């Protein structure tokens, strides 16, 4: 599957931009702040219906404008069969996404159909930030691989919101509705237990692929692993909910459940966050993403779009060379990369034989060179 063309209207720092893309490698070259990452983010929108960077959709509307549109034309094996995906948002309204002009009823129905993997300087946030970041990352990947997991997560989160609302009501004048809480818990418990089982099974599949990518990138120097931490492993969630009811009531939130799980990143059995060097952390994050790519590619029978943001700035020459070997031997399908320096990009890509198209990005405009 390839993205043949991309069109933006009032998206971030672009007014109106249109690009015809190469099915091979697309390089976006420009100065800092010119709009390179914004182009990758637009592609991320087409794939995952949201920004990889901005906290809210509204922030993606160009300052001073009142809507944005991102439109992409995809082709599958047969170039005659084009599919048009369009994401648009008008200030103060609901975001819409259409497939060949047909709106999806739910964003969730689009997730996983046009997979993309972004490797970016922000990836090390997965290591440095709290458990929520890691949960979101693995949940998003699992949701792309397994639609039922996505549905399960949506139901769990809806029940959890209702449960927390009941706990908050406790301090209000009407008191705390225990009957309702028990009814919610009865539905929540099996969902939490299923989420835990699926996360554990997923990690067992993901781990060896991740380890292999890390070993390749880092030349096998250090041992890395991931473990899954959940209160619900070997425990009965329904029982935990009852045991913690008093505390939840006092704190006005649910203190046990799948929403408290974490994924622990280890290097030589020590936490990556505190013990790995910056370069090791970067490699760790890239290996997470390469494993993601491999699983998505295997599941979907077509390769995800690969978005490489600023990789030349972040990796030493050996690691860049290993990543580009993967580009060159067609491990990846269509690739989009950004850099500030055209000569450096050309030099790094001198041995890549797949078709390359270069674009000059300058202050919210983009043109093929
Ligand atoms: N909603 C918006 N309206 C107008 N401009 C925006 C909006 N959102 C982001 N921008 C601007 O887009 C510009 C380009 O951002 P982008 O991250 O794409 O740059 P870049 O080319 O990747 O730069 P770098 O080389 O530093 O990574 C930034 O200066 C940012 O302020
Ligand atoms: Mg950038």
């Amino acid at each position: 599957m390839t993205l043949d063309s991309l069109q933006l209207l009032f998206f971030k720092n672009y007014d109106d931009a249109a690009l015809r893309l190469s099915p091979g490698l697309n390089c976006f070259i420009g100065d800092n702040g010119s709009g390179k990452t914004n182009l990758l983010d637009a592609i991320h929108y087409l794939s995952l219906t949201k920004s990889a960077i901005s906290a809210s959709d509204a922030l993606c509307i160009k300052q001073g404008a009142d809507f944005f549109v991102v439109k992409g034309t995809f082709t599958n094996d047969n170039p005659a069969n084009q599919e048009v995906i369009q994401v648009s948002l008008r200030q103060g309204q609901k975001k819409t996404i259409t497939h060949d002009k047909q709106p999806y009823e739910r964003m969730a129905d689009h997730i996983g159909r046009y997979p993309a993997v972004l490797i970016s300087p922000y990836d090390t946030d997965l290591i440095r930030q709290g458990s929520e970041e890691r949960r979101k990352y693995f949940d998003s990947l699992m949701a792309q691989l397994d639609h039922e997991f996505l549905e399960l997560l949506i139901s769990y989160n809806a029940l959890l919101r209702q449960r927390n609302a009941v706990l908050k009501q406790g301090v209000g004048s009407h008191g705390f509705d225990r009957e309702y809480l028990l009814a919610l818990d009865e539905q929540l418990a099996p969902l939490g237990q299923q989420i835990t089982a699926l996360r554990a099974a997923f990690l067992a599949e993901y781990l060896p692929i991740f380890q292999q990518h890390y070993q390749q990138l880092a030349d096998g120097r250090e041992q890395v692993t991931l473990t899954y931490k959940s209160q619900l492993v070997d425990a009965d969630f329904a029982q935990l909910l009852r045991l913690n009811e008093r505390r939840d009531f006092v704190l006005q939130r649910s203190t046990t459940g799948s929403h408290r799980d974490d994924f622990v990143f280890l290097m030589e059995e020590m936490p990556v966050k505190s013990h790995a060097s910056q370069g090791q952390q970067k490699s760790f994050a890239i290996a997470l993403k390469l494993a993601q790519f491999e699983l998505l590619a295997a599941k979907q029978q077509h390769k995800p779009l690969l978005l490489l943001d600023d990789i030349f700035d972040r990796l030493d020459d050996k690691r860049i060379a290993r990543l580009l070997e993967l580009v060159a031997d067609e491990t990846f399908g269509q690739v989009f990369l950004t850099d500030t320096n055209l000569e450096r990009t050309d030099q790094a890509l001198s041995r890549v034989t797949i078709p390359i198209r270069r674009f000059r990005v300058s202050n919210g405009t983009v043109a093929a060179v």
Side-chain angles (χ1 to χ4, degrees):
M1 192 192 57
T2 55
L3 178 62
D4 296 340
S5 64
L6 178 68
Q7 235 181 305
L8 310 179
L9 277 179
F10 303 113
F11 182 77
K12 295 196 166 183
N13 69 333
Y14 290 89
D15 276 337
D16 183 354
L19 290 78
R20 292 195 52 75
L21 298 160
S22 164
L25 181 55
N26 296 275
C27 304
F28 301 129
I29 313 294
D31 293 340
N32 295 139
S34 56
K36 304 179 297 295
T37 301
N38 291 347
L39 290 173
L40 300 187
D41 206 28
I43 298 171
H44 193 270
Y45 252 104
L46 294 176
S47 172
L48 287 148
T49 77
K50 62 180 185 198
S51 168
I53 293 144
S54 306
S56 85
D57 294 320
L59 290 173
C60 298
I61 299 177
K62 185 169 190 194
Q63 230 168 0
D66 64 356
F67 72 95
F68 81 71
V69 176
V70 176
K71 183 172 162 185
T73 306
F74 290 87
T75 50
N76 230 323
D77 306 328
N78 179 357
N81 287 341
Q82 291 202 322
E83 295 177 44
V84 179
I85 303 299
Q86 181 170 312
V87 183
S88 51
L89 176 75
R90 190 166 280 282
Q91 201 82 255
Q93 294 188 5
K94 245 183 94 193
K95 175 170 60 178
T96 56
I97 174 153
T98 60
H99 173 252
D100 289 340
K101 298 199 173 150
Q102 288 296 315
Y104 285 96
E105 299 233 331
R106 300 157 69 232
M107 296 289 155
D109 296 336
H110 180 72
I111 306 291
R113 288 196 179 185
Y114 303 85
V117 175
L118 169 68
I119 296 186
S120 103
Y122 295 111
D123 291 341
T124 43
D125 286 356
L126 278 175
I127 298 165
R128 286 202 294 266
Q129 298 205 343
S131 62
E132 187 179 354
E133 201 78 16
R134 287 180 287 282
R135 256 191 330 271
K136 269 197 200 153
Y137 171 72
F138 285 107
D139 283 348
S140 164
L141 171 54
M142 287 177 67
Q144 288 180 75
L145 290 166
D146 175 4
H147 201 80
E148 277 175 33
F149 180 78
L150 177 59
E151 297 292 345
L152 190 60
L153 211 54
I154 290 171
S155 306
Y156 180 91
N157 288 333
L159 283 167
L160 188 68
R161 270 194 303 276
Q162 290 179 54
R163 187 179 199 272
N164 288 337
V166 173
L167 294 168
K168 281 203 175 67
Q169 260 174 26
V171 288
S173 54
H174 303 298
F176 158 66
D177 187 347
R178 185 154 194 270
E179 289 288 303
Y180 185 40
L181 187 85
L182 292 177
L184 288 174
D185 286 357
E186 207 171 304
Q187 296 176 63
L188 193 66
L191 298 187
Q193 218 88 56
Q194 276 181 63
I195 290 174
T196 296
L198 288 171
R199 281 181 179 152
F202 167 77
L203 198 64
E205 185 187 355
Y206 178 88
L207 179 63
I209 301 171
F210 161 74
Q211 285 175 321
Q212 189 209 335
H213 281 292
Y214 189 89
Q215 295 308 329
Q216 257 171 19
L217 258 183
D219 244 356
R221 275 208 303 266
E222 54 271 336
Q223 296 298 317
V224 288
T225 195
L226 310 168
T227 61
Y228 174 49
K229 198 169 95 185
S230 171
Q231 298 160 313
L232 310 189
V233 171
D234 302 324
D236 183 59
F237 187 24
Q239 229 170 26
L240 282 179
L241 286 165
R242 289 288 65 72
L243 277 172
N244 290 287
E245 188 179 317
R246 192 70 229 138
R247 186 170 62 155
D248 288 2
F249 175 60
V250 172
L251 296 173
Q252 298 182 30
R253 60 187 165 80
S254 305
T255 58
T256 53
S258 310
H259 58 289
R260 306 293 306 273
D261 289 358
D262 199 0
F263 294 84
V264 183
F265 296 168
L266 299 169
M267 177 171 291
E268 305 295 351
E269 294 175 35
M270 299 300 278
V272 171
K273 184 178 177 174
S274 53
H275 284 76
S277 75
Q278 281 187 320
Q280 288 169 330
Q281 293 191 15
K282 287 175 191 171
S283 308
F284 195 98
I286 290 174
L288 290 172
K289 292 298 182 82
L290 293 176
Q292 172 185 349
F293 185 95
E294 189 172 326
L295 279 181
L296 285 170
K299 163 85 185 177
Q300 312 254 338
Q301 293 148 7
H302 51 238
K303 292 174 182 172
L305 307 180
L306 183 66
L307 315 174
L308 298 173
D309 199 10
D310 277 343
I311 50 156
F312 299 125
D313 274 345
R314 307 178 57 237
L315 292 177
D316 63 36
D317 291 346
K318 276 193 218 151
R319 285 171 200 209
I320 289 175
R322 279 191 208 106
L323 251 186
L324 292 177
E325 272 164 27
L326 297 176
V327 176
D329 75 8
E330 300 187 29
T331 302
F332 305 129
Q334 194 178 21
V335 180
F336 302 82
L337 70 80
T338 71
D339 193 21
T340 50
N341 184 326
L342 185 60
E343 285 77 52
R344 174 170 59 180
T345 306
D346 277 344
Q347 205 175 5
L349 298 175
S350 57
R351 285 207 236 130
V352 172
T353 53
I354 60 171
I356 302 180
R357 194 167 297 171
R358 297 169 184 80
F359 297 87
R360 173 68 68 185
V361 182
S362 164
N363 197 17
T365 63
V366 52
V369 286

